[in-house]
Amino acid sequence: MPSSATIKLNSGHEMPIVGFGLWKVTNDTCADQVYNAIKAGYRLFDGACDYGNEVECGQGVSRAIKDGLVKRSELFIVSKLWNSFHDGPQVEPVCKKQLQDWSIDYFDLYIMHFPIALKYVDPSVRYPPGFTDENGKVTPGKASIQETWTAMEKLVEKGLCKSIGISNFRGVLLMDLLRYAKIRPATLQIEHHPYLVQEGLVKYAQDEGIAVTAYSSFGPQSFLEMDMQQAKDAPLLLEHPTVKKIAESHKKTPAQVLLRWATQRNVAVIPKSNNKDRLAQNLDVLGFDLSDAEIKEVHGIDKNLRFNDPLNYGVALPIYV
């Protein structure tokens, strides 16, 4: 059964507090994973141009709708604007391309993936383009965040998306955006786990009526397969003594504790799994509560350790320095 818990966005729409993340879901399994996740009860799917699997995501959604598992109106589909398409005139065309890839008419939420403008790369040259231009170089673009956001606001006006949001922003950029935004961001998506709590940023966004979504809830786990040294050097959160102790006391898995630590604080989560049991476990993170002392214990693990930083991929875009 789908999770009924939602967060009311400032746009007036309801967003499920637990969703399914599509980063690194492989093309050959993606359609089936989306279909099976819908079957398991997931209703929010968090995708992006940069993930390179939106066609397959759409195939899974289309099959589930065709088989009567779900109606389009019952799904909450999220995608993201990549850095290479920040120029105002490029925003609508690429959004429409992404909608076509998904085989849907609108996104429930469309997010600016990074506060980074890069040189435009035509989709016919390479798609998704990644961080480099047609010559293999990281070339900054000229679009300001205001230019990009204004173009995204028009997507809402044209019915191409119901809500718009941001990702990987720090507080000062959010403060600046709120000065000129005609449509306030509905959500802020950030790396958020006990090694990178970002408590001040979460509080600021929520105080401004902006919902927060956590990605990489299990910390280094997502980055090990990318051979990232920072992830290899960090003890696994799923095996952290504090997390394991709390899990045992609640008769839950460490993953469920990490997800509940977020959702109990009204932070949405987007884990993924291709394991049927873990799919169900990740969705079942609302039926128990951590004590205030346990939440404080998990907070105490914080190391201000960020994994999803362009510098960690060898890309010279120092957005977090």
Side-chain angles (χ1 to χ4, degrees), residues 51-124:
Y51 302 165
N53 56 12
E54 292 194 294
V55 170
E56 293 80 6
C57 293
Q59 291 169 351
V61 165
S62 295
R63 193 188 342 153
I65 292 173
K66 183 180 178 183
D67 289 354
L69 297 181
V70 71
K71 298 175 182 175
R72 168 65 185 97
S73 59
E74 296 170 333
L75 295 173
F76 193 99
I77 296 178
V78 183
S79 191
K80 304 181 188 75
L81 176 76
W82 185 243
N83 312 330
S84 309
F85 305 107
H86 276 216
D87 293 344
Q90 304 301 340
V91 172
E92 183 177 331
V94 78
C95 179
K96 286 181 174 178
K97 172 181 168 40
Q98 292 175 260
L99 288 169
Q100 186 176 27
D101 287 348
W102 275 90
S103 298
I104 57 177
D105 297 325
Y106 65 90
F107 287 121
D108 294 275
L109 174 63
Y110 195 58
I111 292 173
M112 189 186 304
H113 203 148
F114 279 97
I116 298 170
L118 294 178
K119 182 183 176 184
Y120 173 69
V121 177
D122 192 285
S124 65

Side-chain angles (χ1 to χ4, degrees), residues 23-24 215-226 231 236 272:
W23 180 45
K24 295 191 299 160
Y215 68 76
S216 299
S217 293
F218 305 143
Q221 192 80 26
S222 299
F223 300 90
L224 287 172
E225 64 194 67
M226 305 172 76
L236 292 178
K272 71 170 181 289

Side-chain angles (χ1 to χ4, degrees), residues 193-195 197 242-243 246 257-258 261 290 293-302:
H193 46 73
Y195 283 156
V197 176
T242 298
V243 176
I246 295 171
V257 168
L258 291 172
W261 169 75
L290 306 182
E294 287 170 333
I295 289 177
K296 189 174 181 179
E297 276 190 275
V298 177
H299 269 54
I301 301 171
D302 192 14

Side-chain angles (χ1 to χ4, degrees), residues 130-176:
F131 279 103
T132 57
D133 62 19
E134 66 276 11
N135 298 313
K137 296 181 179 180
V138 178
T139 306
K142 297 185 182 302
S144 65
I145 292 173
Q146 183 171 6
E147 177 183 342
T148 307
W149 187 254
T150 300
M152 291 177 67
E153 290 174 328
K154 292 176 182 174
L155 301 178
V156 178
E157 295 166 4
K158 294 184 177 183
L160 297 175
C161 49
K162 293 189 173 182
S163 303
I164 50 178
I166 52 178
S167 182
N168 299 306
F169 272 54
R170 302 189 85 170
V172 65
L173 286 180
L174 177 53
M175 290 173 69
D176 187 61

